[in-house]
Amino acid sequence: MSVPSLDSRKMVFKKGFTDDGNDTTISLLQYNILADAAIPRGDSGTNVCGTYAFCPEMHRYMDSRFEKIIKEVESLNPDIVTSQEIEQVFFENTLQPGMNELGYASVQHLRPGDHIGLAIFYKNEKFSFLSLCQFLIHEKLPSVLQEAGLESSVALDIGEYVKRHSEYPGIIGPAGDLMVRLKVKATGTVIAVANVHVTWKEHKYPFLQIFQMSCVLEELFKFAEGALCILAGDFNATPDMPLYHMISSGKVCEVTDHLVQSNSYHRDRDVRFGGKRAVEILKMIDFKLKVKSSYFEVMGREPVYTNWGDMEMDAEGDEVHKLCLDYICYENGDEKSKQFLYPYAVLDVPPEHVIAEHAGLPSAIFPSDHLPIYAAFKLKQALQ
């Protein structure tokens, strides 16, 4: 089955990879599908704010985009799908039934206030469902900080700060997280999968993003109970930003702080809580879960872009917005668990000219402002 949005994309295999056919594989698709609610409309039902105005209206909304999304999923046939910007009514009436027909079970987390959230889909034939965890990050963060040694009153202040800056009252609710523990039927191996949508805020609040991800990493470690972990989502940060450095290095350090302080665009460079700078507080967290990027491990780099919209201007005054914002991260495993995850293939993004032909994303070909990214893993058992 030919799928136009996938025709120009190539599967890239890790150098030196050989398939002996003896290992169980797990594949995951990460996809922010662009909620219709994120596309402004006027009273006439047409777009009046310019956002995605380059996309013809007949291709702009979910009634025309859904079929293309489902065809992408069907063609790639991932074992797990993590997705963001899922509207409640759309999930219940359209997306969930459509994914059920493809053999997926599902769980959803909704943000309060806007009825939009996260969803995880997993193949019924491959996994048994074990447990679910969902929470609002600002509510869970204070306990994470207190466990790291921060006094309660300061931790609660940070939770309120994160809530205040991660929502747009009446438009976007506060950020949350969704996790599931699944058992691979063929091997009995347990994996924990987390889906997160980090706050955008025009990249003006890097410490806000780091506080959010710190909470997710710590909670995923506890929820996993020793299981192998996969963390995927729309991180809303590019590889040169502080959040990415924090994830790739596994800590908040002087380099992270330098990346924040060196950009005058950042509005939370000097934010303090209880007299302490944000970086001093974040350094208190000893991250127990260390994750790697599947794309970086396979290709030696992240995708050139995963999002292409119309929110910025280039030197000629043309609107352009090409950023890598989406990631699939994983925990390698350890000798104690005797289980290991190895990424061996990822789906590269289409060439720039293919997207530019339609001015951006979404388009008549591509059904979201984000590209779906895909990673395949080998699940290996250590020799006894």
Side-chain angles (χ1 to χ4, degrees):
M1 175 178 64
S2 176
V3 179
S5 60
L6 300 177
D7 286 347
S8 62
R9 302 185 64 175
K10 297 179 179 180
M11 199 68 71
V12 178
F13 292 87
K14 189 174 178 65
K15 187 176 181 180
F17 167 75
T18 56
D19 188 1
D20 56 16
N22 296 325
D23 299 310
T24 299
T25 62
I26 296 173
S27 57
L28 186 144
L29 183 74
Q30 152 56 27
Y31 206 170
N32 181 329
I33 64 171
L34 178 60
D36 274 356
I39 307 174
R41 298 178 188 240
D43 293 337
S44 63
T46 59
N47 183 296
V48 295
C49 296
T51 305
Y52 311 109
F54 60 85
C55 178
E57 189 167 351
M58 64 183 294
H59 300 300
R60 199 180 301 156
Y61 301 104
M62 194 57 78
D63 54 0
S64 63
R65 295 191 286 117
F66 170 68
E67 184 178 350
K68 298 169 189 172
I69 291 170
I70 278 290
K71 285 183 178 179
E72 288 177 324
V73 174
E74 185 177 13
S75 177
L76 291 169
N77 193 32
D79 298 316
I80 302 168
V81 180
T82 54
S83 192
Q84 302 80 41
E85 295 201 22
I86 310 294
E87 295 182 78
Q88 181 178 9
V89 173
F90 170 70
F91 175 80
E92 295 173 351
N93 295 344
T94 307
L95 183 58
Q96 187 179 44
M99 293 294 281
N100 284 348
E101 290 184 8
L102 297 181
Y104 293 93
S106 58
V107 294
Q108 185 191 27
H109 170 78
L110 292 171
R111 297 185 303 226
D114 62 4
H115 304 291
I116 299 174
L118 312 168
I120 298 177
F121 304 88
Y122 57 92
K123 281 287 184 73
N124 269 317
E125 65 179 13
K126 188 152 192 171
F127 302 103
S128 298
F129 175 83
L130 296 179
S131 58
L132 166 71
C133 177
Q134 54 183 322
F135 55 86
L136 296 175
I137 292 175
H138 72 273
E139 292 181 350
K140 189 70 69 172
L141 179 60
S143 64
V144 170
L145 296 172
Q146 289 176 63
E147 290 168 6
L150 192 65
E151 53 266 38
S152 174
S153 60
V154 179
L156 290 171
D157 286 346
I158 295 174
E160 283 302 310
Y161 173 85
V162 169
K163 178 180 186 295
R164 184 168 66 253
H165 288 286
S166 67
E167 65 180 347
Y168 298 79
I171 303 174
I172 298 176
D177 191 66
L178 178 65
M179 305 178 184
V180 292
R181 290 175 73 245
L182 305 170
K183 180 186 286 187
V184 181
K185 292 181 178 180
T187 63
T189 304
V190 178
I191 63 169
V193 180
N195 178 4
V196 64
H197 191 178
V198 176
T199 298
W200 164 247
K201 281 283 184 176
E202 296 83 32
H203 292 153
K204 294 177 181 178
Y205 294 86
F207 279 133
L208 169 69
Q209 294 188 325
I210 294 172
F211 273 123
Q212 290 179 333
M213 187 60 75
S214 298
C215 179
V216 171
L217 286 169
E218 289 297 278
E219 290 303 308
L220 177 56
F221 176 80
K222 289 185 284 188
F223 175 69
E225 297 180 349
L228 294 169
C229 296
I230 299 177
L231 169 64
D234 176 357
F235 294 1
N236 265 325
T238 59
D240 61 344
M241 290 183 176
L243 178 64
Y244 184 89
H245 178 268
M246 169 258 189
I247 295 170
S248 59
S249 66
K251 60 184 177 180
V252 175
C253 61
E254 284 72 17
V255 176
T256 317
D257 190 37
H258 173 72
L259 291 172
V260 175
Q261 300 302 321
S262 62
N263 192 338
S264 60
Y265 183 71
H266 296 152
R267 293 186 178 178
D268 62 353
R269 288 183 298 164
D270 299 314
V271 65
R272 291 175 180 267
F273 305 95
K276 296 180 180 179
R277 294 181 58 238
V279 69
E280 296 171 3
I281 294 170
L282 287 160
K283 283 181 181 180
M284 296 170 64
I285 303 175
D286 179 20
F287 294 104
K288 304 172 190 68
L289 181 63
K290 311 293 185 182
V291 296
K292 299 179 181 181
S293 163
S294 56
Y295 270 75
F296 190 86
E297 286 298 307
V298 173
M299 298 198 305
R301 62 172 176 82
E302 300 297 345
V304 178
Y305 39 73
T306 64
N307 172 252
W308 187 330
D310 66 338
M311 298 179 184
E312 297 178 355
M313 297 285 187
D314 63 15
E316 286 72 41
D318 297 320
E319 293 181 331
V320 62
H321 175 86
K322 296 178 286 187
L323 302 171
C324 175
L325 302 177
D326 302 81
Y327 303 89
I328 301 172
C329 298
Y330 70 101
E331 178 198 25
N332 236 143
D334 54 45
E335 291 295 338
K336 183 178 179 181
S337 66
K338 303 296 182 183
Q339 301 173 119
F340 300 89
L341 272 179
Y342 294 100
Y344 68 89
V346 295
L347 183 66
D348 204 357
V349 296
E352 185 169 331
H353 71 86
V354 175
I355 300 176
E357 182 180 347
H358 299 275
L361 303 173
S363 68
I365 302 298
F366 299 95
S368 175
D369 62 338
H370 286 251
L371 295 166
I373 60 173
Y374 170 100
F377 300 86
K378 286 284 189 179
L379 176 60
K380 291 182 176 287
Q381 305 287 334
L383 296 177
Q384 302 297 319

